[in-house]
Amino acid sequence: MKKILLVLALVIAGLVVPAPAAPAAPKHTVTYDRYSLMVDGERVLLQAAEFHYFRLPSPDLWRDILEKEKAAGFNAVSVYFSWAFHSPAPGKYDFTGVRDVDRLLRIAEETGLYVIARPGPYINAETTGGGFPAWLKTVPGRARSSAPGYTAAYHDWLAHLNPILARHQVTRGGSVLLYNVENEYAVNTDAVYMQDLQDTARAAGIDVPITTNNCCDAGSWSSTWGSGPGAVQIPGVDDYPQSFDCGNAATVWGPWGAGVTEKVRDDAPVFAAEYQAGAIDLNNAGYDACRDLTGVQYTKYFQKGNVILSGATAFNYYMGFGGTNWGWLAQPNDVYTSYDYGAAIDESRQLTDKYFEYKRQGYFLQAVPQLTKTDVSAAPAVAGLETAARTNPDTGTQFVLVRNAGTTPVSATVDLAGLALPVGLEGHGAKILLTGFDFGAQHLVASTSELLTQATVGGRDVGILYGTDGTAGSTVLSYARKPSVRVLDGQVTSSYDGGKLRLDYTHRGLARVLISGGGHRPLLLLLGTDDTAASFWRYDTPAGPILVRGTDLLRSATVAHGTVALRADTAAAGGFEVLAAAKDVLVNGVRVPTRTTSSGTLEGRLPGPRGVSLPSLDGWRQQGEAPEAKPAFDDSRWTVADKSTSLSPFVPMSQPVLFSDEYGFHTGSVWYRGHFTATGGEATVDLNAITGKRGDYLVWLNGRYLGAAAGGVELDTEAPVNPSPGHGEFTVPAGLLRAGERAVLSVLVQNMGHNDDWTADDNRFRQPRGLVGARIGTAAIDWRIQGTAKIDPARGGLNNGGLYGERTGWSLPGYADRIWPKASKTVPAGVTWLRDNFRLDLPAGQDTSLALRFDGATPAGYRAILYLNGWNVGQYGTAIGPQTDFVLPTGVLHANGTNTLAVAVIAEQPSTVATPHLVVKGSQRGGVPVRDVPASDRP
Ligand code: IPT
């Protein structure tokens, strides 16, 4: 009893973490060998797409993205967990609402996706602090090391997160299959720390394999072969062969290498932990250019190459869906509000061309389990093409890569299984061809068409093969006796000789061939092009696979009692076709009349979406603010800024230390008021501020606006160490200051989120935000500081800064703005707000994605922070980036109800401001049900 009480006391005192409940017998086992991961002893080809829940503040939409990933053939998502997103202050953690990661993991389970969990603590990801909460800057001890202060801090984070991850592991019937410690931890490393992350996970009940993603020295956490401190079980390697030069997408081709993932441990599979699938828009080219940089040809050439050249059986596309740096989520030196990333699913959740290339490859990889165990084998040489091959040692199935490194098409003959077969590749094309491949009851000898998928449906085998439109293809199958061949559609010739049936054709549209007799069960072969192949969807139900041709998305399907029920999206009215062991078809709960086609499929028509009418935004009201700029403003309740030291490597350029993080203000706008006694002889106000790229600051003296300056960055980019970052010198107007009289300097600083800690040296991560130096003659200045007034419980600590309007609820729907005058849209230098309400009644059962659009060039004299129903959905202005469309996530956007837009204009000079209008980014019948995201209307 005494012992129990003692333990209880220690638990309450926080000294002993209660042991996790004894795990029940494992639901599944997760193991691996040199070839692949295995679940319950069965090999798994792990195909993940990266998704950041924190970049989509509408949990119902998490399901939309996950279903879209699944529909492209992915069987996993890789997820960073951002410490900063959950922890606004030391010891404060939130895992509810848009932070409910338990819900995210449940959705992954319901969708049927494995999860690669990446809890950091450091994640990079172009998010503020690289995932580190800004309060960590005030904790002693080098971050990403075994220093005690840092250790205590990350233990607290992991003590909150690990139990959630642990209970969602595959081994307990959940989805978490891999646990990724740290991120590209390659310089200034500390093995004790790296080991502690793993020990901490194990102590919390994490029993799935542990991985890490290496960037630069792929071997770093594997070189000690499992026994040394810090080494992980399955090291992953990050590959970004296309780099990030989106502006030159047309000419860039592999400047960062061949994109072949190294094997770094002989006892573990090759894991491409981050394989480039988009890019950050470093040079403001816009994300469409990033999508081009990493487009269909890149994806074919590099990814198919990697599969065969490296033998990777686990990979993760970074990003599958990029999302939005809403609030102050961005790490400002590399990105702006949008984190679209040029990903296959764009920021407004629309499927792009690249998505369909992922689908072609994804379906293939799932259809060839033989690929989970292969060794390098001899490849046939083909004139004008690169080739490589791997063979499954148990089945003899060979995977032959043929790749066109040039930009002009190549037609050639390839020797497959002793047969000379025609193959055609477009510029930068690549194919993985099969020989000796068994599927269903069939044996494929060889084909120069690629396999999309294969299935057995209703007693028939089905194979879908495809090739570049207009190129020749041949497929050879083995039959003991000559089978009957019926060409149902298209032009295909066949010949039978010595046990082999050979089909020859040109890839065009969709040819259909029914082969029966010959000793096997019937085979329906569908021979398509890239496009027609990509029009098929596959879903594996407990009653077997079904295939759908047409619809713009298939989310899920069930088959029972002769009825197949589909959840599908349509972007336009049109035909569709289902291959399932069923007679009746329901789509989104509605029975659809169908007829049976000659190839035994059910064919019908589906309606498209209803029209969407949008309100115009023309009821703007306007109100100026910034009382803080006025001399008489009462700042007596603001925090006194009087510290003389900080943990930042940046030496303050004057005293006291004004770094905003030192006073608990980490997010967005921060106000300073400095009181001093003037001599009358002051000529200039001399300031320095560090805001991160894209920030600025505005200065008033005794209520008179003196001007603005750009904030500093203090990164290696500021050559080489800028002695005077973010400097501004402002002339004191004659007569404004009088000898012996008190004066007040007001400064509004736009802090832009926090630097990352990529080099693990504390240098950039601990760079301050806010004022870092202030001199007015020789006056001693008494400072007060004010930032975010209160953490918004639903929208979180990264949503708001400390503008007067933010502190008093002007951004929120409940604010009574009726007394504000109608907007003139001309604003003085300083801060002005505009507000407008609009009603929406978007069609039910339809997924309509809206955005705010600004027409014309981005403005230079001001910046605008945009709030939808109180959620900070973006920042607009030339100083911020090229972005003119701001996606409004449904849920944050009330699809059927009233919405409030509030725009905080921070003007460096008198300006005429542009207001946005609503646009439809996409509308499909279908979608997932989305509820409004709960959040308060008032402060
Ligand atoms: C890699 C990071 O691991 C990831 O977090 C993200 O920052 C990505 O880059 C770029 O978007 S780092 C790799 C480019 C060396």
Side-chain angles (χ1 to χ4, degrees):
M1 185 61 183
K2 258 196 193 141
K3 201 174 156 200
I4 293 176
L5 282 178
L6 175 71
V7 169
L8 205 64
L10 290 173
V11 167
I12 292 166
L15 297 172
V16 169
V17 179
K27 291 261 173 49
H28 299 284
T29 60
V30 181
T31 54
Y32 61 92
D33 65 8
R34 57 175 280 111
Y35 292 113
S36 74
L37 281 152
M38 287 171 269
V39 175
D40 297 333
E42 216 172 291
R43 293 191 180 279
V44 171
L45 202 142
L46 190 68
Q47 301 163 245
E50 184 85 17
F51 171 63
H52 300 157
Y53 61 95
F54 49 89
R55 289 182 157 128
L56 182 57
S58 178
D60 284 331
L61 289 180
W62 297 345
R63 187 183 301 275
D64 178 56
I65 299 300
L66 265 45
E67 287 182 347
K68 284 171 174 164
E69 299 296 6
K70 168 93 174 173
F74 290 102
N75 61 4
V77 282
S78 170
V79 181
Y80 275 139
F81 295 83
S82 161
W83 183 0
F85 186 63
H86 294 269
S87 181
K92 286 214 174 110
Y93 285 88
D94 181 17
F95 289 88
T96 64
V98 300
R99 294 170 178 73
D100 186 352
V101 297
D102 187 88
R103 180 167 170 191
L104 171 73
L105 296 171
R106 285 201 311 272
I107 295 172
E109 277 146 33
E110 288 158 10
T111 311
L113 292 171
Y114 290 123
V115 171
I116 302 170
R118 310 214 286 164
Y122 183 71
I123 61 172
N124 207 59
E126 292 79 56
T127 192
T128 180
F132 281 160
W135 56 257
L136 193 63
K137 292 187 198 179
T138 62
V139 173
R142 178 166 70 91
R144 306 179 78 188
S145 83
S146 57
Y150 173 67
T151 303
Y154 79 73
H155 278 180
D156 200 18
W157 158 238
L158 293 176
H160 285 89
L161 182 60
N162 274 341
I164 303 173
L165 299 178
R167 67 173 177 261
H168 283 283
Q169 290 176 103
V170 171
T171 49
R172 299 192 196 170
S175 56
V176 174
L177 186 68
L178 285 178
Y179 182 95
N180 185 139
V181 294
E182 255 289 342
N183 190 84
E184 302 197 322
Y185 191 43
V187 285
N188 296 313
T189 55
D190 178 340
V192 173
Y193 162 56
M194 194 64 171
Q195 187 58 45
D196 182 65
L197 290 174
Q198 299 176 59
D199 297 344
T200 303
R202 295 297 186 216
I206 299 292
D207 55 14
V208 295
I210 293 183
T211 180
T212 193
N213 58 314
N214 283 301
C215 63
C216 321
D217 166 15
S220 36
W221 298 107
S222 50
S223 46
T224 43
W225 290 89
S227 56
V232 298
Q233 291 175 288
I234 305 180
V237 182
D238 295 351
D239 283 295
Y240 288 81
Q242 280 292 67
S243 177
F244 299 103
D245 188 4
C246 303
N248 288 310
T251 51
V252 171
W253 195 248
W256 280 13
V260 178
T261 310
E262 265 178 89
K263 185 165 188 70
V264 280
R265 267 184 89 130
D266 245 3
D267 58 353
V270 177
F271 174 30
E274 284 179 25
Y275 204 81
Q276 182 168 19
I280 41 180
D281 185 19
L282 281 182
N283 306 318
N284 285 350
Y287 284 110
D288 285 341
C290 299
R291 212 173 332 272
D292 290 345
L293 180 76
T294 56
V296 170
Q297 294 315 123
Y298 157 80
T299 304
K300 285 189 181 185
Y301 185 91
F302 283 88
Q303 173 68 4
K304 288 181 187 177
N306 192 36
V307 166
I308 299 304
L309 297 170
S310 76
T313 55
F315 64 83
N316 167 39
Y317 278 145
Y318 192 101
M319 299 290 304
F321 165 82
T324 307
N325 291 310
W326 63 278
W328 298 92
L329 259 177
Q331 177 266 82
N333 303 315
D334 292 331
V335 289
Y336 42 89
T337 300
S338 175
Y339 198 71
D340 175 279
Y341 214 82
I345 303 174
D346 74 15
E347 188 185 0
S348 65
R349 301 179 291 106
Q350 309 303 307
L351 309 182
T352 68
D353 286 355
K354 193 159 65 175
Y355 177 90
F356 294 96
E357 177 57 23
Y358 289 178
K359 183 163 92 163
R360 286 185 286 265
Q361 294 191 31
Y363 281 23
F364 165 71
L365 294 172
Q366 293 303 319
V368 289
Q370 293 89 335
L371 191 60
T372 52
K373 184 181 177 186
T374 61
D375 298 309
V376 172
S377 60
V382 182
L385 297 175
E386 302 170 337
T387 60
R390 304 187 75 86
T391 299
N392 181 303
D394 302 331
T395 66
T397 309
Q398 194 182 27
F399 298 84
V400 179
L401 171 74
V402 289
R403 253 189 353 177
N404 182 359
T407 51
T408 47
V410 172
S411 296
T413 300
V414 56
D415 185 338
L416 294 178
L419 302 159
L421 303 176
V423 68
L425 285 168
E426 76 278 22
H428 286 165
K431 293 183 196 295
I432 299 176
L433 305 177
L434 291 168
T435 75
F437 173 65
D438 289 325
F439 67 100
Q442 317 297 326
H443 180 76
L444 179 78
V445 177
S447 178
T448 52
S449 299
E450 288 188 285
L451 181 72
L452 177 80
T453 193
Q454 49 85 8
T456 304
V457 184
R460 266 193 335 192
D461 290 332
V462 182
I464 306 177
L465 295 161
Y466 70 99
T468 314
D469 193 13
T471 63
S474 297
T475 295
V476 181
L477 295 143
S478 84
Y479 282 93
R481 300 186 305 277
K482 184 168 190 258
S484 115
V485 178
R486 266 178 64 207
V487 178
L488 306 172
D489 218 338
Q491 290 194 339
V492 178
T493 61
S494 66
S495 57
Y496 180 79
D497 184 28
K500 289 177 185 136
L501 175 72
R502 175 170 170 163
L503 305 173
D504 290 287
Y505 45 87
T506 298
H507 297 108
R508 189 157 286 149
L510 185 68
R512 304 177 189 234
V513 183
L514 187 61
I515 307 167
S516 46
H520 300 177
R521 68 173 169 240
L523 168 66
L524 177 66
L525 267 190
L526 303 171
L527 303 167
T529 61
D530 282 16
D531 284 349
T532 53
S535 67
F536 282 91
W537 302 95
R538 178 194 177 118
Y539 195 87
D540 288 281
T541 77
I546 65 129
L547 294 166
V548 172
R549 188 179 67 87
T551 76
D552 293 283
L553 177 68
L554 176 65
R555 293 177 181 273
S556 69
T558 54
V559 187
H561 314 298
T563 298
V564 56
L566 309 179
R567 287 174 57 237
D569 289 13
T570 51
F576 78 111
E577 200 179 343
V578 185
L579 195 57
K583 299 186 309 292
D584 291 315
V585 180
L586 291 176
V587 178
N588 300 335
V590 178
R591 224 198 107 126
V592 180
T594 56
R595 64 168 201 99
T596 306
T597 67
S598 61
S599 31
T601 62
L602 299 170
E603 196 178 61
R605 272 190 75 77
L606 289 172
R610 274 156 286 171
V612 174
S613 65
L614 297 177
S616 54
L617 305 179
D618 51 13
W620 294 98
R621 293 177 178 276
Q622 180 174 330
Q623 182 67 55
E625 51 127 288
E628 303 90 338
K630 303 223 165 73
F633 179 80
D634 177 9
D635 60 21
S636 60
R637 280 187 295 190
W638 286 15
T639 305
V640 173
D642 59 357
K643 297 197 179 182
S644 57
T645 59
S646 92
L647 293 173
S648 173
F650 188 87
V651 180
M653 301 177 72
S654 64
Q655 283 291 340
V657 172
L658 297 172
F659 310 167
S660 60
D661 296 302
E662 292 296 328
Y663 303 98
F665 302 122
H666 308 297
T667 307
S669 309
V670 172
W671 275 100
Y672 293 86
R673 283 172 53 92
H675 302 263
F676 61 97
T677 304
T679 62
E682 295 85 352
T684 58
V685 174
D686 203 4
L687 300 174
N688 288 85
I690 295 183
T691 58
K693 219 163 127 182
R694 313 170 206 268
D696 71 350
Y697 60 101
L698 279 58
V699 183
W700 291 261
L701 183 60
N702 275 352
R704 182 93 61 91
Y705 181 64
L706 299 190
V713 178
E714 193 55 26
L715 265 186
D716 355 316
T717 48
E718 274 196 327
V721 175
N722 185 342
S724 187
H727 183 228
E729 198 180 79
F730 306 91
T731 306
V732 175
L736 188 62
L737 297 180
R738 290 205 191 136
E741 283 186 14
R742 290 295 276 173
V744 57
L745 181 73
S746 301
V747 185
L748 171 63
V749 182
Q750 282 302 299
N751 288 333
M752 299 300 290
H754 300 272
N755 291 358
D756 62 42
D757 189 29
W758 201 69
T759 42
D761 61 2
D762 264 10
N763 246 323
R764 34 170 144 185
F765 157 62
R766 283 191 204 266
Q767 288 294 327
R769 289 293 179 262
L771 288 179
V772 297
R775 293 154 303 273
I776 311 170
T778 54
I781 311 173
D782 300 324
W783 286 98
R784 289 192 181 252
I785 179 170
Q786 176 66 57
T788 315
K790 181 181 158 224
I791 303 300
D792 183 310
R795 301 174 184 93
L798 298 176
N799 194 63
N800 295 108
L803 292 175
Y804 179 83
E806 290 178 296
R807 305 200 307 273
T808 44
W810 293 14
S811 60
L812 296 173
Y815 184 77
D817 60 18
R818 271 176 309 250
I819 52 156
W820 287 11
K822 274 199 91 52
S824 66
K825 301 190 189 178
T826 56
V827 302
V831 186
T832 306
W833 288 68
L834 281 80
R835 285 173 59 102
D836 194 7
N837 294 320
F838 63 93
R839 265 200 71 81
L840 280 180
D841 201 10
L842 298 177
Q846 187 163 321
D847 182 356
T848 302
S849 178
L850 299 189
L852 284 179
R853 174 169 294 168
F854 290 89
D855 295 327
T858 55
Y862 69 93
R863 60 187 57 217
I865 309 175
L866 315 172
Y867 303 83
L868 171 67
N869 297 323
W871 299 78
N872 175 346
V873 293
Q875 296 169 62
Y876 171 65
T878 299
I880 309 286
Q883 190 173 353
T884 53
D885 277 15
F886 293 82
V887 172
L888 307 176
T890 316
V892 164
L893 180 77
H894 304 148
N896 302 90
T898 303
N899 291 276
T900 301
L901 278 172
V903 179
V905 178
I906 300 167
E908 296 186 359
Q909 62 197 50
S911 305
T912 302
V913 301
T915 50
H917 56 99
L918 292 166
V919 291
V920 176
K921 300 290 276 189
S923 194
Q924 298 88 27
R925 191 179 280 260
V928 296
V930 182
R931 289 158 290 183
D932 290 348
V933 181
S936 56
D937 278 3
R938 285 163 211 288

